[in-house]
Amino acid sequence: HEIVDKILSDDPDFKDVDVVAIMPFLEDEDCDKIFIKKIQEDDEIALELVNFVSEECLSLLVDAYIEGKYPNLNVDKLYPFLDGDDVKKLFYFELRKAKK
């Protein structure tokens, strides 16, 4: 948990830590925090991290995308990792968006 706090606070000593290597040893909530930080920084989905992220985090990401928070996010990469309800939400959102 301490390492995650250092990574999230942009501690220069932890700048080059390979987060994928430590993800299997982290709690779900810490994995979620790292994943969200990467999305906020890059506006891109780090697929190598998705396997470690909770379904709740992915669901919150889908909701944020639908609300317009990440307009450039390529959510197509997320489909294999989403539960059925989130896939349905995205489908309906994209369908409404295409009609406009």
Side-chain angles (χ1 to χ4, degrees):
H1 183 71
E2 291 174 33
I3 293 172
V4 172
D5 287 340
K6 298 280 188 188
I7 292 169
L8 295 176
S9 67
D10 294 323
D11 186 313
D13 293 336
F14 290 82
K15 181 182 178 204
D16 296 323
V17 170
D18 181 7
V19 291
V20 176
I22 64 169
M23 294 287 263
F25 307 102
L26 300 177
E27 298 290 328
D28 285 348
E29 69 181 46
D30 288 331
C31 291
D32 293 351
K33 289 177 185 176
I34 289 175
F35 181 74
I36 295 298
K37 179 175 175 59
K38 291 290 283 177
I39 287 175
Q40 290 171 341
E41 290 175 347
D42 304 335
D43 207 22
E44 180 65 33
I45 295 172
L47 283 180
E48 65 275 6
L49 303 180
V50 174
N51 288 328
F52 304 104
V53 177
S54 70
E55 285 185 6
E56 293 83 15
C57 179
L58 293 177
S59 187
L60 290 173
L61 178 61
V62 167
D63 292 342
Y65 172 76
I66 289 171
E67 292 169 4
K69 188 169 185 179
Y70 302 108
N72 299 322
L73 193 64
N74 182 0
V75 293
D76 293 342
K77 295 179 179 180
L78 278 181
Y79 285 115
F81 305 99
L82 297 176
D83 68 14
D85 290 338
D86 288 325
V87 171
K88 192 185 313 182
K89 272 195 261 185
L90 280 173
F91 175 76
Y92 287 129
F93 171 72
E94 295 297 335
L95 191 62
R96 285 190 305 271
K97 191 166 80 171
K99 286 184 177 182
K100 290 183 180 180

